[in-house]
Amino acid sequence: MTVHSFQEKFDEKIDREDTIEPRDWMPDDYRKTLIRQISQHAHSEIVGMLPEGNWITRAPSLRRKAVLLAKVQDEGGHGLYLYSAAETLGITRDEMLEQLHSGKAKYSSIFNYPTTTWADMGAIGWLVDGAAIMNQVPLCRTSYGPYARAMVRVCKEESFHQRQGFEIMLTLAKGTEEQKKMAQDALDRWWWPSIMMFGPPDAESPNSESSMRWRIKRFSNDELRQKFIDVTVEQTKILGLTLPDKDLKWNEARGHYDYGAINWEEFWNVVKGNGPCNKERLETRRKAWEEGAWVREAALANAKKRAERKNKEASAA
């Protein structure tokens, strides 16, 4: 069969909403797009453990410690599922991590902001994980099978994370005046970075068109951002807090909330590595990789010994 014939079969599968599996023929650009997106998603989960892990020992109660610890553990698992899915496309885990550590590969810009108070744990769970769910639920129907299947479990656990964050914010908002101020301050700082998580406007997104055509993505950046804002405004009313956007108002004709201008200059500055915590996050990940070398070496040595022992037993039999 010619490349043209393979392309036609691939296009027919996409049009029929069939999943593409690792052994199926796929265009190089489709493969590259998936590797970029899935590895970036995996890196985001791993780097995303850092700002929250910073608060495990300082959580205000044993219950809060246990819940936050479980959440951070979940995120490590999400990274594992996603790295495994990306490996089915012909890239190794070591290659992906080298790209992260060198700065070649990106991760979500949201994790380059500092967590300065306990209320940030609530804002991250409610807003950041809420935005992640909005973005990730459609990925359960993405065209690449291993990615779609990984996302089913990821989304179930992210729903727990979002509820945990909202519960923290609700407790603070209904608490003392100082606690409510803490919750409002966290909301003020995390709101705009959260709605930037959906990526640049559709007109400025270089990969959106092809990702939509290949059914990797199901909704555009702007569609998902609007849906998130519409939902979150109503949740904010329950909390009794105020979103930091003076231009936010209901548009009856559109059936959506209008919102103010997003500071895309800040977004691109963070993406380029100039955010408040970019250098700190990467240095922490590099250090963990270097200090964990002995664990990887020991695991490989043990696996080699077990393989040798099995071969001897097989020969003796």
Side-chain angles (χ1 to χ4, degrees):
M1 292 181 70
T2 65
V3 172
H4 180 70
S5 300
F6 282 124
Q7 180 71 56
E8 284 185 338
K9 283 203 160 195
F10 173 83
D11 291 339
E12 287 171 4
K13 274 192 165 186
I14 294 294
D15 292 340
R16 288 198 307 266
E17 302 276 348
D18 289 347
T19 57
I20 307 299
E21 297 297 338
R23 293 186 179 181
D24 294 341
W25 184 91
M26 63 188 76
D28 286 342
D29 286 345
Y30 177 80
R31 185 186 301 275
K32 289 175 183 176
T33 297
L34 281 169
I35 289 174
R36 177 192 57 78
Q37 180 170 327
I38 300 173
S39 65
Q40 179 176 315
H41 191 167
H43 297 328
S44 299
E45 295 286 354
I46 298 301
V47 176
M49 299 166 70
L50 300 177
E52 294 174 309
N54 181 44
W55 277 91
I56 291 173
T57 58
R58 295 186 288 164
S61 70
L62 182 59
R63 173 177 173 270
R64 295 293 190 195
K65 285 179 172 67
V67 173
L68 186 57
L69 184 62
K71 181 186 178 186
V72 172
Q73 179 178 275
D74 284 349
E75 288 163 350
H78 297 173
L80 175 63
Y81 311 149
L82 293 164
Y83 283 132
S84 297
E87 284 177 314
T88 66
L89 292 159
I91 188 170
T92 67
R93 187 110 23 126
D94 284 355
E95 286 176 303
M96 287 184 277
L97 290 171
E98 191 281 326
Q99 290 173 1
L100 170 65
H101 299 154
S102 68
K104 181 180 178 182
K106 303 299 181 185
Y107 55 88
S108 181
S109 61
I110 194 76
F111 299 119
N112 289 311
Y113 290 86
T115 49
T116 57
T117 72
W118 169 250
D120 289 8
M121 297 301 96
I124 289 176
W126 171 42
L127 297 175
V128 176
D129 293 317
I133 293 168
M134 199 68 69
N135 195 37
Q136 292 171 8
V137 166
L139 291 175
C140 295
R141 297 187 297 115
T142 193
S143 59
Y144 188 57
Y147 192 20
R149 291 188 286 273
M151 290 312 303
V152 172
R153 179 163 180 175
V154 170
C155 287
K156 288 179 179 178
E157 292 176 352
E158 290 289 2
S159 296
F160 153 71
H161 301 166
Q162 195 270 346
R163 290 196 298 273
Q164 172 250 1
F166 187 81
E167 194 259 344
I168 290 175
M169 292 295 281
L170 185 62
T171 300
L172 292 171
K174 303 302 181 186
T176 65
E177 191 61 31
E178 185 178 1
Q179 288 173 321
K180 185 172 183 178
K181 285 180 180 178
M182 186 189 296
Q184 183 64 59
D185 171 67
L187 174 55
D188 291 345
R189 287 183 289 107
W190 288 94
W191 172 246
W192 291 106
S194 294
I195 62 175
M196 292 179 196
M197 279 181 66
F198 296 97
D202 295 335
E204 299 175 21
S205 179
N207 302 301
S208 281
E209 184 180 349
S210 57
S211 292
M212 295 281 285
R213 185 173 71 252
W214 288 324
R215 310 288 203 277
I216 295 174
K217 290 177 64 173
R218 296 286 176 163
F219 300 97
S220 72
N221 296 350
D222 288 335
E223 287 176 314
L224 291 169
R225 186 173 7 258
Q226 183 67 69
K227 187 176 180 182
F228 173 73
I229 289 170
D230 290 346
V231 168
T232 309
V233 170
E234 300 306 314
Q235 294 172 347
T236 306
K237 292 177 183 177
I238 296 171
L239 294 174
L241 300 176
T242 305
L243 289 169
D245 182 357
K246 60 182 176 54
D247 297 319
L248 189 70
K249 61 180 182 298
W250 178 254
N251 186 321
E252 192 65 43
R254 291 178 61 237
H256 295 288
Y257 279 95
D258 291 336
Y259 54 92
I262 298 171
N263 185 353
W264 291 114
E265 184 178 346
E266 176 186 333
F267 171 80
W268 288 116
N269 192 46
V270 176
V271 169
K272 290 174 183 176
N274 301 315
C277 298
N278 287 68
K279 291 182 176 61
E280 177 186 335
R281 299 288 185 246
L282 278 181
E283 285 173 5
T284 302
R285 288 306 313 156
R286 290 191 198 103
K287 183 181 178 184
W289 175 256
E290 291 164 3
E291 293 183 350
W294 70 272
V295 178
R296 297 190 298 276
E297 290 166 5
L300 287 171
N302 184 56
K304 184 178 179 181
K305 284 184 179 179
R306 291 180 66 181
E308 288 173 351
R309 186 163 58 248
K310 281 189 176 182
N311 288 338
K312 284 183 180 178
E313 291 172 354
S315 298

